[in-house]
Amino acid sequence: MKLSKRVLALVLSAAFVVGTFAGCGNTQQQGSSAAGSSAAGGKITVKDLTGKEFTFDKPLDKVAIQWSGSGGPFMIMAALYGKDFVNHIAAMDDGLVKNRKDMYDQYVKDVPEIANINIIGSVENDGFNLEKLISSGAEAFVVPLGIQATLKEGLQEKIEKAGIPVIYMDYHAETMENHIASTKLLGKLFGKEDRAKEIVDWYKSHMDPLNEKIKTVVEKNGRPKVYIECAQKGRDEIGNSYGNNYMWGAMVYNVGGTSIADGKVTKYSPLEKEFILSTDPDVIIFTGSIWEGQTDYARMGFAATKEDSNERLKKILTRDGWDNLKAVKNNRVYSIHHGLGREIYDCASFEALAKFIWPEDFKDLDPEATLKGYYEKFLPFTYGGLWFLHYGE
């Protein structure tokens, strides 16, 4: 990525003040504790999800963010600040409006100022605007671990030379450790530790009893085979599936199933049609959303209805040979909103997946009540729409 003269000047001038922001510490493996501690004189010290420490004179006021619609800091900042959260985002990517259009539209209805947030694009695309990031007034660049490799290709160095520290958080590993550490990290960064604790306590109140029961169920029954697909392309093109250690695959594993993609993909990738048919999964789960520019996808979210979503799944299930799959024959086909993973409130998704995979053992769970409860308790947005679906119901 070449720098314009203006950006180069900004980088060089900012280099003199880097010391104000830079922290110290050794990089550790993903999953490190993101503990924070207060220093004398009002300073705060935090440790991000790579294990690197940062010291600031006071809690941060404005940050730039990434993956606004895919497990970045956007939603947790909304929970920490309420409607005022928009005043603390100096710049962000366009992922929310591009990939979660229904969510974006609802959120703008509730908080119109969202439409005015400075858009800098995604670091993973050519449209990323480094100059706008540097001039945004951001005190830090808070990003998911999932884009670390992209930033390490020279971009992170340019951002840090401009006096903007890069701080990593993570909800994608789908571990309680990282979910809690990331929430506490952001609470510490913004001086919202009490609110972050309240969110973590709510999350644990759902996850702890769920995890305890899952242990018993798996010990008794083993792990069913689950096929989970991001059905963004619809019937004619098989979408990404996930291994047991990443995102939806990790969630399936954590509730007692095992992804048929495990060992076939590193993190996520489509599976071959023949492999899916030969594996004959016990349960099929499609993740849906409302994707701009797509037509034949699994539809879930604020603007979705059961009738339309069922019709779309019905079409996907007409793929060659799928009528012979046991999951289809046994009516074990489900759908869940793709944006419900990678967030602190995805305990609702864990509850839904547990019901999908173990319908008798977890029949008393109410994942929709859990998700609605989070919206009403923590978010400045109105709850509505369709987020979980048993095909045909």
PDB file of all heavy atoms in Angstrom, residues 227 229-239 270-271 273 286 294-298 312-320 322:
ATOM      1  N   TYR A 227     -23.679 -30.625  10.203  1.00  0.00           N
ATOM      2  CA  TYR A 227     -23.227 -29.838   9.057  1.00  0.00           C
ATOM      3  C   TYR A 227     -23.778 -28.431   9.209  1.00  0.00           C
ATOM      4  O   TYR A 227     -24.988 -28.226   9.304  1.00  0.00           O
ATOM      5  CB  TYR A 227     -23.714 -30.420   7.740  1.00  0.00           C
ATOM      6  CG  TYR A 227     -23.397 -29.531   6.548  1.00  0.00           C
ATOM      7  CD1 TYR A 227     -22.068 -29.224   6.234  1.00  0.00           C
ATOM      8  CD2 TYR A 227     -24.408 -28.985   5.763  1.00  0.00           C
ATOM      9  CE1 TYR A 227     -21.763 -28.393   5.155  1.00  0.00           C
ATOM     10  CE2 TYR A 227     -24.115 -28.167   4.686  1.00  0.00           C
ATOM     11  CZ  TYR A 227     -22.788 -27.877   4.386  1.00  0.00           C
ATOM     12  OH  TYR A 227     -22.489 -27.048   3.333  1.00  0.00           O
ATOM     13  N   GLU A 229     -23.605 -24.519   7.550  1.00  0.00           N
ATOM     14  CA  GLU A 229     -23.215 -23.803   6.328  1.00  0.00           C
ATOM     15  C   GLU A 229     -23.694 -22.358   6.366  1.00  0.00           C
ATOM     16  O   GLU A 229     -24.854 -22.088   6.688  1.00  0.00           O
ATOM     17  CB  GLU A 229     -23.813 -24.483   5.094  1.00  0.00           C
ATOM     18  CG  GLU A 229     -23.524 -23.745   3.792  1.00  0.00           C
ATOM     19  CD  GLU A 229     -24.227 -24.346   2.585  1.00  0.00           C
ATOM     20  OE1 GLU A 229     -24.565 -25.558   2.625  1.00  0.00           O
ATOM     21  OE2 GLU A 229     -24.457 -23.619   1.603  1.00  0.00           O
ATOM     22  N   CYS A 230     -22.809 -21.452   6.023  1.00  0.00           N
ATOM     23  CA  CYS A 230     -23.206 -20.066   5.784  1.00  0.00           C
ATOM     24  C   CYS A 230     -23.878 -20.031   4.411  1.00  0.00           C
ATOM     25  O   CYS A 230     -23.207 -20.076   3.382  1.00  0.00           O
ATOM     26  CB  CYS A 230     -21.994 -19.144   5.814  1.00  0.00           C
ATOM     27  SG  CYS A 230     -22.389 -17.425   5.387  1.00  0.00           S
ATOM     28  N   ALA A 231     -25.205 -19.957   4.410  1.00  0.00           N
ATOM     29  CA  ALA A 231     -25.970 -20.127   3.161  1.00  0.00           C
ATOM     30  C   ALA A 231     -26.164 -18.795   2.441  1.00  0.00           C
ATOM     31  O   ALA A 231     -27.275 -18.414   2.080  1.00  0.00           O
ATOM     32  CB  ALA A 231     -27.296 -20.788   3.456  1.00  0.00           C
ATOM     33  N   GLN A 232     -25.065 -18.108   2.218  1.00  0.00           N
ATOM     34  CA  GLN A 232     -25.104 -16.800   1.570  1.00  0.00           C
ATOM     35  C   GLN A 232     -25.372 -16.917   0.068  1.00  0.00           C
ATOM     36  O   GLN A 232     -25.938 -16.016  -0.537  1.00  0.00           O
ATOM     37  CB  GLN A 232     -23.768 -16.078   1.800  1.00  0.00           C
ATOM     38  CG  GLN A 232     -23.706 -14.673   1.246  1.00  0.00           C
ATOM     39  CD  GLN A 232     -22.401 -13.984   1.587  1.00  0.00           C
ATOM     40  OE1 GLN A 232     -21.475 -14.602   2.116  1.00  0.00           O
ATOM     41  NE2 GLN A 232     -22.302 -12.703   1.298  1.00  0.00           N
ATOM     42  N   LYS A 233     -24.988 -18.043  -0.530  1.00  0.00           N
ATOM     43  CA  LYS A 233     -25.089 -18.199  -1.978  1.00  0.00           C
ATOM     44  C   LYS A 233     -26.340 -18.955  -2.411  1.00  0.00           C
ATOM     45  O   LYS A 233     -26.602 -19.084  -3.605  1.00  0.00           O
ATOM     46  CB  LYS A 233     -23.856 -18.933  -2.503  1.00  0.00           C
ATOM     47  CG  LYS A 233     -22.525 -18.285  -2.135  1.00  0.00           C
ATOM     48  CD  LYS A 233     -22.363 -16.931  -2.776  1.00  0.00           C
ATOM     49  CE  LYS A 233     -20.965 -16.362  -2.491  1.00  0.00           C
ATOM     50  NZ  LYS A 233     -20.762 -15.051  -3.124  1.00  0.00           N
ATOM     51  N   GLY A 234     -27.099 -19.480  -1.459  1.00  0.00           N
ATOM     52  CA  GLY A 234     -28.326 -20.163  -1.809  1.00  0.00           C
ATOM     53  C   GLY A 234     -28.131 -21.594  -2.269  1.00  0.00           C
ATOM     54  O   GLY A 234     -27.188 -22.281  -1.874  1.00  0.00           O
ATOM     55  N   ARG A 235     -29.025 -22.064  -3.125  1.00  0.00           N
ATOM     56  CA  ARG A 235     -29.064 -23.458  -3.523  1.00  0.00           C
ATOM     57  C   ARG A 235     -27.875 -23.883  -4.362  1.00  0.00           C
ATOM     58  O   ARG A 235     -27.316 -24.970  -4.168  1.00  0.00           O
ATOM     59  CB  ARG A 235     -30.344 -23.730  -4.326  1.00  0.00           C
ATOM     60  CG  ARG A 235     -30.450 -25.156  -4.833  1.00  0.00           C
ATOM     61  CD  ARG A 235     -31.513 -25.313  -5.895  1.00  0.00           C
ATOM     62  NE  ARG A 235     -31.668 -26.710  -6.280  1.00  0.00           N
ATOM     63  CZ  ARG A 235     -30.868 -27.350  -7.131  1.00  0.00           C
ATOM     64  NH1 ARG A 235     -29.858 -26.713  -7.699  1.00  0.00           N
ATOM     65  NH2 ARG A 235     -31.083 -28.630  -7.414  1.00  0.00           N
ATOM     66  N   ASP A 236     -27.464 -23.052  -5.304  1.00  0.00           N
ATOM     67  CA  ASP A 236     -26.560 -23.505  -6.364  1.00  0.00           C
ATOM     68  C   ASP A 236     -25.077 -23.417  -6.020  1.00  0.00           C
ATOM     69  O   ASP A 236     -24.235 -23.880  -6.786  1.00  0.00           O
ATOM     70  CB  ASP A 236     -26.827 -22.709  -7.643  1.00  0.00           C
ATOM     71  CG  ASP A 236     -28.225 -22.968  -8.187  1.00  0.00           C
ATOM     72  OD1 ASP A 236     -28.724 -24.089  -7.990  1.00  0.00           O
ATOM     73  OD2 ASP A 236     -28.814 -22.047  -8.772  1.00  0.00           O
ATOM     74  N   GLU A 237     -24.743 -22.825  -4.906  1.00  0.00           N
ATOM     75  CA  GLU A 237     -23.331 -22.731  -4.516  1.00  0.00           C
ATOM     76  C   GLU A 237     -23.202 -22.992  -3.025  1.00  0.00           C
ATOM     77  O   GLU A 237     -23.767 -22.264  -2.209  1.00  0.00           O
ATOM     78  CB  GLU A 237     -22.763 -21.350  -4.861  1.00  0.00           C
ATOM     79  CG  GLU A 237     -21.271 -21.235  -4.601  1.00  0.00           C
ATOM     80  CD  GLU A 237     -20.702 -19.892  -5.041  1.00  0.00           C
ATOM     81  OE1 GLU A 237     -21.376 -19.192  -5.818  1.00  0.00           O
ATOM     82  OE2 GLU A 237     -19.587 -19.556  -4.601  1.00  0.00           O
ATOM     83  N   ILE A 238     -22.465 -24.031  -2.684  1.00  0.00           N
ATOM     84  CA  ILE A 238     -22.285 -24.396  -1.278  1.00  0.00           C
ATOM     85  C   ILE A 238     -21.421 -23.349  -0.580  1.00  0.00           C
ATOM     86  O   ILE A 238     -20.360 -22.964  -1.069  1.00  0.00           O
ATOM     87  CB  ILE A 238     -21.651 -25.792  -1.160  1.00  0.00           C
ATOM     88  CG1 ILE A 238     -22.634 -26.847  -1.683  1.00  0.00           C
ATOM     89  CG2 ILE A 238     -21.264 -26.104   0.274  1.00  0.00           C
ATOM     90  CD1 ILE A 238     -22.082 -28.245  -1.747  1.00  0.00           C
ATOM     91  N   GLY A 239     -21.905 -22.884   0.571  1.00  0.00           N
ATOM     92  CA  GLY A 239     -21.192 -21.850   1.311  1.00  0.00           C
ATOM     93  C   GLY A 239     -20.201 -22.418   2.306  1.00  0.00           C
ATOM     94  O   GLY A 239     -20.022 -23.638   2.431  1.00  0.00           O
ATOM     95  N   PRO A 270     -15.883 -23.886   1.962  1.00  0.00           N
ATOM     96  CA  PRO A 270     -16.954 -24.783   1.520  1.00  0.00           C
ATOM     97  C   PRO A 270     -16.481 -26.232   1.485  1.00  0.00           C
ATOM     98  O   PRO A 270     -15.305 -26.514   1.237  1.00  0.00           O
ATOM     99  CB  PRO A 270     -17.271 -24.277   0.097  1.00  0.00           C
ATOM    100  CG  PRO A 270     -16.730 -22.895   0.038  1.00  0.00           C
ATOM    101  CD  PRO A 270     -15.522 -22.886   0.928  1.00  0.00           C
ATOM    102  N   LEU A 271     -17.386 -27.153   1.747  1.00  0.00           N
ATOM    103  CA  LEU A 271     -17.108 -28.578   1.633  1.00  0.00           C
ATOM    104  C   LEU A 271     -17.583 -29.096   0.275  1.00  0.00           C
ATOM    105  O   LEU A 271     -18.497 -28.535  -0.333  1.00  0.00           O
ATOM    106  CB  LEU A 271     -17.827 -29.348   2.745  1.00  0.00           C
ATOM    107  CG  LEU A 271     -17.390 -29.052   4.179  1.00  0.00           C
ATOM    108  CD1 LEU A 271     -18.277 -29.806   5.161  1.00  0.00           C
ATOM    109  CD2 LEU A 271     -15.923 -29.413   4.389  1.00  0.00           C
ATOM    110  N   LYS A 273     -19.593 -31.315  -2.289  1.00  0.00           N
ATOM    111  CA  LYS A 273     -20.942 -31.895  -2.267  1.00  0.00           C
ATOM    112  C   LYS A 273     -20.897 -33.386  -1.915  1.00  0.00           C
ATOM    113  O   LYS A 273     -21.670 -33.871  -1.078  1.00  0.00           O
ATOM    114  CB  LYS A 273     -21.596 -31.698  -3.630  1.00  0.00           C
ATOM    115  CG  LYS A 273     -22.854 -32.513  -3.854  1.00  0.00           C
ATOM    116  CD  LYS A 273     -23.273 -32.483  -5.313  1.00  0.00           C
ATOM    117  CE  LYS A 273     -24.309 -33.564  -5.600  1.00  0.00           C
ATOM    118  NZ  LYS A 273     -24.701 -33.621  -7.022  1.00  0.00           N
ATOM    119  N   PHE A 286     -28.249 -24.013   8.769  1.00  0.00           N
ATOM    120  CA  PHE A 286     -27.878 -22.959   7.833  1.00  0.00           C
ATOM    121  C   PHE A 286     -27.839 -21.619   8.576  1.00  0.00           C
ATOM    122  O   PHE A 286     -28.785 -21.290   9.310  1.00  0.00           O
ATOM    123  CB  PHE A 286     -28.888 -22.845   6.696  1.00  0.00           C
ATOM    124  CG  PHE A 286     -28.942 -24.040   5.787  1.00  0.00           C
ATOM    125  CD1 PHE A 286     -30.034 -24.903   5.813  1.00  0.00           C
ATOM    126  CD2 PHE A 286     -27.905 -24.299   4.906  1.00  0.00           C
ATOM    127  CE1 PHE A 286     -30.090 -26.011   4.977  1.00  0.00           C
ATOM    128  CE2 PHE A 286     -27.948 -25.402   4.061  1.00  0.00           C
ATOM    129  CZ  PHE A 286     -29.041 -26.258   4.096  1.00  0.00           C
ATOM    130  N   GLN A 294     -27.128 -10.214  -2.951  1.00  0.00           N
ATOM    131  CA  GLN A 294     -27.443 -11.633  -3.075  1.00  0.00           C
ATOM    132  C   GLN A 294     -28.962 -11.793  -3.197  1.00  0.00           C
ATOM    133  O   GLN A 294     -29.718 -10.912  -2.769  1.00  0.00           O
ATOM    134  CB  GLN A 294     -26.936 -12.402  -1.861  1.00  0.00           C
ATOM    135  CG  GLN A 294     -25.449 -12.254  -1.590  1.00  0.00           C
ATOM    136  CD  GLN A 294     -24.597 -12.951  -2.637  1.00  0.00           C
ATOM    137  OE1 GLN A 294     -25.034 -13.891  -3.284  1.00  0.00           O
ATOM    138  NE2 GLN A 294     -23.379 -12.472  -2.823  1.00  0.00           N
ATOM    139  N   THR A 295     -29.401 -12.891  -3.779  1.00  0.00           N
ATOM    140  CA  THR A 295     -30.838 -13.086  -3.954  1.00  0.00           C
ATOM    141  C   THR A 295     -31.345 -14.391  -3.358  1.00  0.00           C
ATOM    142  O   THR A 295     -32.376 -14.423  -2.712  1.00  0.00           O
ATOM    143  CB  THR A 295     -31.202 -13.051  -5.456  1.00  0.00           C
ATOM    144  OG1 THR A 295     -30.411 -14.035  -6.158  1.00  0.00           O
ATOM    145  CG2 THR A 295     -30.935 -11.674  -6.049  1.00  0.00           C
ATOM    146  N   ASP A 296     -30.615 -15.465  -3.530  1.00  0.00           N
ATOM    147  CA  ASP A 296     -31.122 -16.805  -3.231  1.00  0.00           C
ATOM    148  C   ASP A 296     -30.551 -17.364  -1.930  1.00  0.00           C
ATOM    149  O   ASP A 296     -30.223 -18.526  -1.823  1.00  0.00           O
ATOM    150  CB  ASP A 296     -30.775 -17.732  -4.404  1.00  0.00           C
ATOM    151  CG  ASP A 296     -31.540 -19.043  -4.344  1.00  0.00           C
ATOM    152  OD1 ASP A 296     -32.619 -19.056  -3.732  1.00  0.00           O
ATOM    153  OD2 ASP A 296     -31.048 -20.037  -4.892  1.00  0.00           O
ATOM    154  N   TYR A 297     -30.426 -16.514  -0.913  1.00  0.00           N
ATOM    155  CA  TYR A 297     -29.746 -16.915   0.313  1.00  0.00           C
ATOM    156  C   TYR A 297     -30.744 -17.294   1.414  1.00  0.00           C
ATOM    157  O   TYR A 297     -31.939 -17.010   1.322  1.00  0.00           O
ATOM    158  CB  TYR A 297     -28.860 -15.774   0.809  1.00  0.00           C
ATOM    159  CG  TYR A 297     -29.597 -14.466   0.983  1.00  0.00           C
ATOM    160  CD1 TYR A 297     -30.320 -14.197   2.137  1.00  0.00           C
ATOM    161  CD2 TYR A 297     -29.578 -13.491  -0.016  1.00  0.00           C
ATOM    162  CE1 TYR A 297     -31.005 -13.007   2.305  1.00  0.00           C
ATOM    163  CE2 TYR A 297     -30.259 -12.295   0.134  1.00  0.00           C
ATOM    164  CZ  TYR A 297     -30.971 -12.060   1.296  1.00  0.00           C
ATOM    165  OH  TYR A 297     -31.655 -10.869   1.457  1.00  0.00           O
ATOM    166  N   ALA A 298     -30.234 -17.924   2.476  1.00  0.00           N
ATOM    167  CA  ALA A 298     -31.054 -18.164   3.668  1.00  0.00           C
ATOM    168  C   ALA A 298     -31.264 -16.825   4.367  1.00  0.00           C
ATOM    169  O   ALA A 298     -30.309 -16.107   4.649  1.00  0.00           O
ATOM    170  CB  ALA A 298     -30.354 -19.143   4.595  1.00  0.00           C
ATOM    171  N   ARG A 312     -37.203 -20.296   1.361  1.00  0.00           N
ATOM    172  CA  ARG A 312     -35.810 -20.235   0.913  1.00  0.00           C
ATOM    173  C   ARG A 312     -35.065 -21.512   1.301  1.00  0.00           C
ATOM    174  O   ARG A 312     -34.280 -22.048   0.513  1.00  0.00           O
ATOM    175  CB  ARG A 312     -35.121 -18.998   1.498  1.00  0.00           C
ATOM    176  CG  ARG A 312     -35.590 -17.692   0.863  1.00  0.00           C
ATOM    177  CD  ARG A 312     -35.174 -16.484   1.696  1.00  0.00           C
ATOM    178  NE  ARG A 312     -35.544 -15.248   1.045  1.00  0.00           N
ATOM    179  CZ  ARG A 312     -34.757 -14.546   0.229  1.00  0.00           C
ATOM    180  NH1 ARG A 312     -33.520 -14.980  -0.018  1.00  0.00           N
ATOM    181  NH2 ARG A 312     -35.165 -13.433  -0.334  1.00  0.00           N
ATOM    182  N   LEU A 313     -35.286 -21.993   2.523  1.00  0.00           N
ATOM    183  CA  LEU A 313     -34.641 -23.236   2.943  1.00  0.00           C
ATOM    184  C   LEU A 313     -35.152 -24.404   2.110  1.00  0.00           C
ATOM    185  O   LEU A 313     -34.383 -25.308   1.748  1.00  0.00           O
ATOM    186  CB  LEU A 313     -34.903 -23.493   4.429  1.00  0.00           C
ATOM    187  CG  LEU A 313     -34.248 -22.538   5.429  1.00  0.00           C
ATOM    188  CD1 LEU A 313     -34.541 -22.996   6.852  1.00  0.00           C
ATOM    189  CD2 LEU A 313     -32.748 -22.431   5.217  1.00  0.00           C
ATOM    190  N   LYS A 314     -36.428 -24.397   1.813  1.00  0.00           N
ATOM    191  CA  LYS A 314     -37.011 -25.459   0.988  1.00  0.00           C
ATOM    192  C   LYS A 314     -36.303 -25.549  -0.355  1.00  0.00           C
ATOM    193  O   LYS A 314     -36.006 -26.649  -0.851  1.00  0.00           O
ATOM    194  CB  LYS A 314     -38.502 -25.190   0.783  1.00  0.00           C
ATOM    195  CG  LYS A 314     -39.227 -26.252  -0.027  1.00  0.00           C
ATOM    196  CD  LYS A 314     -40.718 -25.914  -0.139  1.00  0.00           C
ATOM    197  CE  LYS A 314     -41.458 -26.971  -0.946  1.00  0.00           C
ATOM    198  NZ  LYS A 314     -42.911 -26.646  -1.049  1.00  0.00           N
ATOM    199  N   LYS A 315     -36.001 -24.399  -0.951  1.00  0.00           N
ATOM    200  CA  LYS A 315     -35.308 -24.379  -2.239  1.00  0.00           C
ATOM    201  C   LYS A 315     -33.884 -24.906  -2.094  1.00  0.00           C
ATOM    202  O   LYS A 315     -33.403 -25.684  -2.934  1.00  0.00           O
ATOM    203  CB  LYS A 315     -35.293 -22.967  -2.809  1.00  0.00           C
ATOM    204  CG  LYS A 315     -34.705 -22.885  -4.206  1.00  0.00           C
ATOM    205  CD  LYS A 315     -34.868 -21.491  -4.793  1.00  0.00           C
ATOM    206  CE  LYS A 315     -34.317 -21.448  -6.214  1.00  0.00           C
ATOM    207  NZ  LYS A 315     -34.467 -20.087  -6.806  1.00  0.00           N
ATOM    208  N   ILE A 316     -33.175 -24.498  -1.033  1.00  0.00           N
ATOM    209  CA  ILE A 316     -31.806 -24.970  -0.822  1.00  0.00           C
ATOM    210  C   ILE A 316     -31.777 -26.492  -0.677  1.00  0.00           C
ATOM    211  O   ILE A 316     -30.876 -27.167  -1.188  1.00  0.00           O
ATOM    212  CB  ILE A 316     -31.190 -24.295   0.422  1.00  0.00           C
ATOM    213  CG1 ILE A 316     -30.993 -22.795   0.164  1.00  0.00           C
ATOM    214  CG2 ILE A 316     -29.846 -24.939   0.786  1.00  0.00           C
ATOM    215  CD1 ILE A 316     -30.539 -22.014   1.383  1.00  0.00           C
ATOM    216  N   LEU A 317     -32.784 -27.042  -0.018  1.00  0.00           N
ATOM    217  CA  LEU A 317     -32.824 -28.480   0.240  1.00  0.00           C
ATOM    218  C   LEU A 317     -33.137 -29.306  -1.007  1.00  0.00           C
ATOM    219  O   LEU A 317     -33.117 -30.541  -0.946  1.00  0.00           O
ATOM    220  CB  LEU A 317     -33.831 -28.787   1.345  1.00  0.00           C
ATOM    221  CG  LEU A 317     -33.448 -28.262   2.743  1.00  0.00           C
ATOM    222  CD1 LEU A 317     -34.575 -28.487   3.726  1.00  0.00           C
ATOM    223  CD2 LEU A 317     -32.156 -28.913   3.241  1.00  0.00           C
ATOM    224  N   THR A 318     -33.399 -28.643  -2.134  1.00  0.00           N
ATOM    225  CA  THR A 318     -33.590 -29.381  -3.393  1.00  0.00           C
ATOM    226  C   THR A 318     -32.262 -29.671  -4.088  1.00  0.00           C
ATOM    227  O   THR A 318     -32.249 -30.160  -5.226  1.00  0.00           O
ATOM    228  CB  THR A 318     -34.515 -28.607  -4.362  1.00  0.00           C
ATOM    229  OG1 THR A 318     -33.894 -27.347  -4.714  1.00  0.00           O
ATOM    230  CG2 THR A 318     -35.871 -28.343  -3.739  1.00  0.00           C
ATOM    231  N   ARG A 319     -31.151 -29.405  -3.438  1.00  0.00           N
ATOM    232  CA  ARG A 319     -29.847 -29.786  -3.996  1.00  0.00           C
ATOM    233  C   ARG A 319     -29.838 -31.291  -4.279  1.00  0.00           C
ATOM    234  O   ARG A 319     -30.437 -32.065  -3.519  1.00  0.00           O
ATOM    235  CB  ARG A 319     -28.724 -29.439  -3.006  1.00  0.00           C
ATOM    236  CG  ARG A 319     -28.434 -27.957  -2.857  1.00  0.00           C
ATOM    237  CD  ARG A 319     -27.492 -27.702  -1.684  1.00  0.00           C
ATOM    238  NE  ARG A 319     -27.071 -26.309  -1.606  1.00  0.00           N
ATOM    239  CZ  ARG A 319     -26.410 -25.788  -0.578  1.00  0.00           C
ATOM    240  NH1 ARG A 319     -26.099 -26.557   0.474  1.00  0.00           N
ATOM    241  NH2 ARG A 319     -26.064 -24.516  -0.586  1.00  0.00           N
ATOM    242  N   ASP A 320     -29.136 -31.656  -5.323  1.00  0.00           N
ATOM    243  CA  ASP A 320     -29.099 -33.060  -5.747  1.00  0.00           C
ATOM    244  C   ASP A 320     -28.651 -33.978  -4.605  1.00  0.00           C
ATOM    245  O   ASP A 320     -27.579 -33.773  -4.016  1.00  0.00           O
ATOM    246  CB  ASP A 320     -28.148 -33.240  -6.934  1.00  0.00           C
ATOM    247  CG  ASP A 320     -28.669 -32.574  -8.195  1.00  0.00           C
ATOM    248  OD1 ASP A 320     -29.884 -32.283  -8.246  1.00  0.00           O
ATOM    249  OD2 ASP A 320     -27.868 -32.351  -9.120  1.00  0.00           O
ATOM    250  N   TRP A 322     -29.815 -34.391  -1.632  1.00  0.00           N
ATOM    251  CA  TRP A 322     -30.065 -33.993  -0.250  1.00  0.00           C
ATOM    252  C   TRP A 322     -31.334 -34.613   0.321  1.00  0.00           C
ATOM    253  O   TRP A 322     -31.484 -34.709   1.544  1.00  0.00           O
ATOM    254  CB  TRP A 322     -30.104 -32.459  -0.144  1.00  0.00           C
ATOM    255  CG  TRP A 322     -28.730 -31.854  -0.067  1.00  0.00           C
ATOM    256  CD1 TRP A 322     -27.679 -32.093  -0.900  1.00  0.00           C
ATOM    257  CD2 TRP A 322     -28.260 -30.930   0.916  1.00  0.00           C
ATOM    258  NE1 TRP A 322     -26.581 -31.362  -0.509  1.00  0.00           N
ATOM    259  CE2 TRP A 322     -26.909 -30.635   0.603  1.00  0.00           C
ATOM    260  CE3 TRP A 322     -28.841 -30.301   2.011  1.00  0.00           C
ATOM    261  CZ2 TRP A 322     -26.132 -29.766   1.341  1.00  0.00           C
ATOM    262  CZ3 TRP A 322     -28.076 -29.416   2.760  1.00  0.00           C
ATOM    263  CH2 TRP A 322     -26.730 -29.166   2.428  1.00  0.00           C
TER     264      TRP A 322
END
